[in-house]
Amino acid sequence: MSGTGAPASARAGWRGTETILLYVMYLIGSWGINGIGAVLLPLQTELDVARADVALYPTLYSSGLVAVGLAGGSLVRRIGSHRSLVLAMVLTLVGIGLMAVPSQVVIGLGAFVFGVGGAFVTLVMPVRAGALHGARAGRVMTEANGVGSAGAIVAPLVVAAALALSLGWRVGYVVPIAVGAAAVLVALARPSSHSPTPREALPADAEARLPLRALLGRWADIPLCVGAEFSLVFWAAAAWSEWHALSASGAAISVAVFLSGLALGRFAGSPLMDRHPPRHIVLAGAGVALVGFALFWSLPVVWGSAAGLFIAGMGIALLFPASLTRLIRIDPSDRERASQLSVLGLGAAVALAPLVLAVVADWVGIRWAYLMVPAFLVVLVAKNLRPGRGDHEPA
């Protein structure tokens, strides 16, 4: 949009072309992190290495998120959000290209570079959403997460189809990401996709910003909700295999069930972000997720456990976007810092929470280790029972 004219998002419907591009970029990142699980087994066979050697790739991807969470904010401030998104797509193309090379070291480097590219999208998303949509930014971020959840469901299916047709995992994983990133780069080259927006200006007085310690309590909600989500994404299949004596293919359905609840919750629940305070959404979502988890964990029949997973997914669906919205509301003049902190929390939670669950499961069994998930949710509820700074203010 132009600095004097109506916003592009208003001229082309309230979302607008740039918002749709942000959704596509979010989809590419989600395809990457969720599809990588489907390529680990064929990669292990292709490279003839141990399982632990290929299991490092998701951690390297998540390390890219942590790196950008620590240092990416200053770069975004220097080059601007549009150039940051261009950089993100270039890194995505480089990273996914490296992952296509049949070398264990090169694939690991590619996973890290790919993760850095996805992290820049996650970092810029709240800034651009706020600049384009103001109080509706929470809904935009929820819809973006919904698109990502849909990609999380589809990516492993496309990889599986490519393998079944003897096309190789690269056709199902590398090719869609490369084509998508290239298409976004072409779209970003259009002048209308990067016109300045007055509301994107940085705070005039850096010393007027809230001290970092004032944000940390609210920031802690991010790793709590993300840790609960990815503990279920990465280990639900292992739980089903042990609890219900299912084959690997049968147990893998659990992930699709959870992700389906997640996607439905985000698409159906996104209008709630316009109508209810995010703190209420966090409390209600955590409560629903606790009920769903109790069914998943305790019911001895697969269909009952599946229903619990689906309900848990619907409850967890809005926790991250609502928590991010609340973090931004503490200091809405500095969305960049809040977004950078959220990327750091996201990357750390994805890298650490499932790993800790696995370590604990080796000690006490996966059933008792899985009680980490309701512990995350209970702490989240306890932290947010009372309203805090920004809970009564518009975004």
Side-chain angles (χ1 to χ4, degrees), residues 32 64 73 124 127 163 170 193 199 302 306 374:
V124 172
V127 179
L163 291 171
R170 291 172 178 82
S193 71
R199 297 169 63 180
V302 173

Side-chain angles (χ1 to χ4, degrees), residues 45-368:
T45 303
E46 176 184 317
L47 299 173
D48 191 23
V49 295
R51 182 185 300 176
D53 292 326
V54 295
L56 183 63
Y57 296 144
T59 300
L60 287 170
Y61 183 98
S62 302
S63 298
L65 292 170
V66 174
V68 172
L70 289 171
S74 59
L75 178 61
V76 173
R77 286 173 180 271
R78 277 201 305 272
I79 68 176
S81 60
H82 174 76
R83 289 177 180 173
S84 297
L85 292 175
V86 172
L87 174 63
M89 290 299 97
V90 170
L91 290 171
T92 295
L93 284 170
V94 171
I96 200 63
L98 292 173
M99 290 188 72
V101 177
S103 163
Q104 185 178 353
V105 174
V106 175
I107 292 173
L109 176 62
F112 177 78
V113 173
F114 188 11
V116 172
F120 273 111
V121 173
T122 306
L123 178 60
V124 172
M125 178 76 179
V127 179
R128 293 304 301 145
L132 290 168
H133 301 289
R136 238 176 189 168
R139 179 171 180 178
V140 170
M141 290 184 287
T142 302
E143 289 182 350
N145 277 270
V147 171
S149 297
I153 299 170
V154 175
L157 298 178
V158 174
V159 173
L163 291 171
L165 295 172
S166 300
L167 299 175
W169 64 268
R170 291 172 178 82
V171 171
Y173 184 72
V174 173
V175 172
I177 292 170
V179 170
V184 170
L185 270 177
V186 171
L188 288 173
R190 298 175 58 189
S192 61
S193 71
H194 58 92
S195 300
T197 57
R199 297 169 63 180
E200 196 181 11
L202 300 177
D205 182 2
E207 293 185 0
R209 298 192 306 170
L210 285 175
L212 182 61
R213 63 180 180 274
L215 302 177
L216 292 181
R218 187 70 55 83
W219 169 82
D221 292 355
I222 301 291
L224 287 171
C225 61
V226 173
E229 177 179 336
F230 277 87
S231 293
L232 287 165
V233 168
F234 286 168
W235 292 112
W240 263 21
S241 177
E242 179 178 313
W243 301 347
H244 304 294
L246 295 178
S247 65
S249 59
I253 297 172
S254 64
V255 181
V257 170
F258 176 72
L259 290 172
S260 296
L262 207 63
L264 179 61
R266 283 171 175 160
F267 282 120
S270 62
L272 298 177
M273 297 292 291
D274 289 343
R275 302 170 187 166
H276 300 284
R279 184 177 73 91
H280 294 174
I281 291 174
V282 168
L283 293 173
V288 171
L290 283 167
V291 171
F293 179 87
L295 298 175
F296 157 72
W297 189 83
S298 63
L299 292 182
V301 291
V302 173
W303 65 265
S305 184
L309 267 179
F310 187 82
I311 294 169
M314 291 192 68
I316 288 174
L318 300 183
L319 294 183
F320 175 71
S323 296
L324 177 54
T325 299
R326 293 186 72 227
L327 179 61
I328 290 172
R329 285 189 178 185
I330 296 180
D331 188 8
S333 66
D334 196 359
R335 290 175 178 269
E336 291 84 356
R337 182 168 59 159
S339 181
Q340 183 176 352
L341 286 170
S342 76
V343 173
L344 177 59
L346 174 65
V350 173
L352 295 178
L355 176 62
V356 171
L357 190 150
V359 171
V360 175
D362 286 340
W363 293 343
V364 299
I366 195 166
R367 181 173 293 280
W368 296 110

Side-chain angles (χ1 to χ4, degrees), residues 224-225 228 286 289-290 293 316 319 372-382:
L224 287 171
C225 61
L290 283 167
F293 179 87
I316 288 174
L319 294 183
M372 282 176 51
V373 171
F376 289 150
L377 297 172
V378 168
V379 173
L380 186 65
V381 169

Side-chain angles (χ1 to χ4, degrees), residues 3-49:
T4 57
S9 57
R11 294 197 302 268
W14 76 265
R15 292 175 183 83
T17 302
E18 182 177 349
T19 302
I20 299 303
L21 284 177
L22 288 170
Y23 289 178
V24 174
M25 286 183 265
Y26 224 84
L27 172 64
I28 291 169
S30 180
W31 193 291
I33 186 59
N34 290 281
I36 200 170
V39 308
L40 294 183
L41 183 58
L43 259 178
Q44 182 185 355
T45 303
E46 176 184 317
L47 299 173
D48 191 23
V49 295

